[in-house]
Amino acid sequence: GAETVLKLMGLFGENGDIEPSDITKMYELIFNEKERKQIAELNLKFNDFQTLVMTAVNLIIGEEDERGE
């Protein structure tokens, strides 16, 4: 919901910079425990994991933007 979107947006730095620890925080906000277990079983490399998380973030933030208009 909106609270999650605000938390996600708060993790972006002023220049849109994101630290690896921020990726983990976003991951924990977006995915529930069952989904995290399934993702962990994929044994993704960090770049692939980051792509997964950022794609989910973009989908969530995009959905909120569309509803707000």
Side-chain angles (χ1 to χ4, degrees):
E3 182 179 342
T4 301
V5 171
L6 291 173
K7 288 179 182 179
L8 290 171
M9 293 175 76
L11 292 172
F12 286 92
E14 289 182 24
N15 299 324
D17 297 337
I18 300 173
E19 300 292 325
S21 62
D22 296 330
I23 297 292
T24 302
K25 290 175 189 172
M26 291 177 186
Y27 170 71
E28 291 171 353
L29 281 170
I30 296 168
F31 299 104
N32 65 38
E33 189 175 336
K34 181 180 176 184
E35 293 165 335
R36 290 194 301 261
K37 185 176 179 179
Q38 291 172 332
I39 292 167
E41 291 173 359
L42 297 174
N43 295 316
L44 298 174
K45 294 179 183 178
F46 184 75
N47 286 340
D48 296 330
F49 176 75
Q50 183 174 355
T51 299
L52 171 76
V53 173
M54 293 309 300
T55 300
V57 168
N58 289 333
L59 287 171
I60 291 167
I61 292 174
E63 287 176 9
E64 288 297 318
D65 288 346
E66 288 174 15
R67 280 188 263 170
E69 292 178 1

